[in-house]
Amino acid sequence: MSVATDSLVTSSSSSDDFAALLDAELDSGSSDASPDLDDDVVDDDRIKRRKIVHEETQVSTSYKISEKNSACCPDGAITSSCPHPGFLRDMCIRCGERIDDVGGVAFGYIHKDLRLGTDEISRLRDADVRTLLSRKKLHLVLDLDHTLLNSTRLDDISLEEEYLHSRVDSLQDISKGSLFRLDMMRMMTKLRPFVRNFLQEASNMFEMHIYTMGERAYAIEMAKLLDPENVYFNSRVISQADCTQRHQKGLDVVLGQESAVLILDDTEAVWQKHKDNLLLMERYHFFSSSCRQFQHHYKSLSELKSDENELDGALATVLGVLKKIHAQFFDPGNGDDYAARDVRQVRKSVRKEVLSDCTIVFSRVIPNEVVPHEHPLWRIAEQLGATCSTDLGASVTHVVSPDTGTNKSRWAVKEGKFLVHPRWIEASSYLWQRQPEDKFPASASTKKSR
């Protein structure tokens, strides 16, 4: 069986085609199509025999052995020069040879015990991106907790949340529900408002992946709640066990070119290497345990017997941003060479439109010992397209301050400039849209300061 070929994968999902191919190759003729490849089931001769048969099979997803990877000796014998593109346990997926020191990156979520080498990963990504872009789609990597849903242990439900036990929806008709009790996991899960509409509309623009720092069993159960018909994610459910770096998520285990991947997550810190791909989400705190986890001292949505708004909540808002990025990426006015484009640059340009007409001065926000342009709010404002300054002047449009008692705050009021609380920048950042200034007033104060 050959994985390293020059032929293209005809599906936009290399991982799904590859998983199907492995199952067909290794389990054909068996009533048990399990991906658990025990040594007493898979042997060298069996792999090699199937490899020979597979060369003669003409199917769209076939991986034919390239003649350049074998050579003839003078006596006519064939000697292998297999580059060993990947392995199932210690067995090469091309030639069937067993190798003691297996390298590469593990793709266990695609197929158990699968590891692929760097060249093969690059080849699959190149093939995938051509197919994907031809369908005018990109990749979208989605976090679970606090992004698409919120979960809590049953033991952590507060007294004010006890009413939820009588409000849970049926697991027999998941598609019509949003609050589920999973007794086998001793958990309750609430789907974020608008999530089903979000997934349906996003699937028209993106090949979607789940990527969570949770355990695989949990990830699979959440995928069933989000995608009961298995039409959005298929095998693309990545969990903590698939991460190649502790406490970090990475696109190294996603078979998609980084230039064609967007990420939706509520935590920036886990994407240190891929911040330019990230759309940071406001966290969804439905359960009280979620608020406690992040040391928030206010009541949760469930305790308030409330929830996010369907039509203008976080997911509805970010869907609009994704549509805008997708439309600009595939703008026909820029030619038809989509492979030369980079979604990270499009994301950056869309983000810079948010506060592009604003000039901001901070007051009582940046400590004296901190270099102004290194402060997080200064950086966020610049990423949103604002011009930040330390000096007052006619070009200033906003003074950002937590209170009205500073000299700069009073200047803003006198000169008819906007005086807003720092949360105005944070809200504009999360929602990718300039927020109404009157909703974020600075607090009244009698303190005097620069």
Short mmCIF file of all heavy atoms in Angstrom, two decimals, residues 1 4 12 56 100 157 187 246 278 348 381 441:
data_model
loop_
_atom_site.label_atom_id
_atom_site.label_comp_id
_atom_site.label_asym_id
_atom_site.label_seq_id
_atom_site.Cartn_x
_atom_site.Cartn_y
_atom_site.Cartn_z
N MET A 1 0.85 -1.19 0.00
CA MET A 1 0.00 0.00 0.00
C MET A 1 0.88 1.23 0.00
O MET A 1 1.80 1.34 0.78
CB MET A 1 -0.88 -0.01 1.25
CG MET A 1 -1.72 1.22 1.41
SD MET A 1 -2.83 1.10 2.82
CE MET A 1 -1.66 0.86 4.15
N ALA A 4 2.67 7.56 -0.16
CA ALA A 4 3.46 8.62 -0.79
C ALA A 4 3.38 8.47 -2.30
O ALA A 4 4.06 7.66 -2.88
CB ALA A 4 4.90 8.54 -0.33
N SER A 12 -11.84 16.60 -0.08
CA SER A 12 -11.25 17.73 0.60
C SER A 12 -10.74 17.35 1.96
O SER A 12 -10.07 18.13 2.61
CB SER A 12 -12.29 18.85 0.75
OG SER A 12 -13.36 18.41 1.55
N GLU A 56 -3.21 -2.61 -8.45
CA GLU A 56 -3.99 -2.87 -9.66
C GLU A 56 -5.42 -2.35 -9.54
O GLU A 56 -6.21 -2.47 -10.46
CB GLU A 56 -4.03 -4.38 -9.92
CG GLU A 56 -2.62 -4.96 -10.13
CD GLU A 56 -2.63 -6.48 -10.21
OE1 GLU A 56 -3.71 -7.06 -10.00
OE2 GLU A 56 -1.58 -7.06 -10.48
N ASP A 100 12.53 -0.43 13.84
CA ASP A 100 12.62 -0.32 15.30
C ASP A 100 12.41 1.11 15.79
O ASP A 100 11.68 1.36 16.74
CB ASP A 100 13.99 -0.82 15.79
CG ASP A 100 14.15 -2.33 15.58
OD1 ASP A 100 13.11 -3.01 15.56
OD2 ASP A 100 15.29 -2.79 15.42
N ILE A 157 -22.91 21.07 40.54
CA ILE A 157 -24.08 21.91 40.31
C ILE A 157 -24.51 22.56 41.62
O ILE A 157 -24.66 21.89 42.64
CB ILE A 157 -25.23 21.08 39.72
CG1 ILE A 157 -24.87 20.67 38.28
CG2 ILE A 157 -26.55 21.84 39.73
CD1 ILE A 157 -25.91 19.81 37.61
N MET A 187 -21.97 14.05 34.13
CA MET A 187 -21.81 15.42 33.65
C MET A 187 -23.12 15.97 33.11
O MET A 187 -24.03 15.21 32.75
CB MET A 187 -20.75 15.49 32.54
CG MET A 187 -19.35 15.20 32.97
SD MET A 187 -18.25 15.33 31.56
CE MET A 187 -18.58 17.01 31.06
N ARG A 246 3.13 19.66 25.52
CA ARG A 246 2.35 19.72 26.74
C ARG A 246 1.69 21.09 26.91
O ARG A 246 2.33 22.13 26.77
CB ARG A 246 3.25 19.41 27.94
CG ARG A 246 2.52 19.28 29.27
CD ARG A 246 3.48 18.82 30.35
NE ARG A 246 2.89 18.78 31.66
CZ ARG A 246 2.14 17.78 32.12
NH1 ARG A 246 1.89 16.74 31.34
NH2 ARG A 246 1.64 17.81 33.34
N LEU A 278 -5.80 32.68 14.85
CA LEU A 278 -6.81 32.58 15.92
C LEU A 278 -7.82 33.71 15.91
O LEU A 278 -7.47 34.89 15.81
CB LEU A 278 -6.09 32.54 17.27
CG LEU A 278 -6.96 32.55 18.54
CD1 LEU A 278 -7.80 31.28 18.61
CD2 LEU A 278 -6.08 32.70 19.78
N LYS A 348 -5.93 39.41 9.42
CA LYS A 348 -5.29 40.61 9.96
C LYS A 348 -5.89 41.88 9.39
O LYS A 348 -6.15 42.85 10.12
CB LYS A 348 -3.79 40.55 9.66
CG LYS A 348 -2.97 41.67 10.27
CD LYS A 348 -1.50 41.48 9.98
CE LYS A 348 -0.65 42.59 10.60
NZ LYS A 348 0.80 42.39 10.32
N ALA A 381 -5.53 47.36 20.70
CA ALA A 381 -6.07 48.52 19.97
C ALA A 381 -5.39 48.67 18.62
O ALA A 381 -6.04 48.94 17.60
CB ALA A 381 -5.90 49.78 20.81
N PRO A 441 -19.17 53.62 29.62
CA PRO A 441 -18.72 54.88 30.21
C PRO A 441 -17.66 54.64 31.29
O PRO A 441 -17.66 53.61 31.96
CB PRO A 441 -20.00 55.45 30.81
CG PRO A 441 -20.81 54.23 31.18
CD PRO A 441 -20.54 53.25 30.08
#
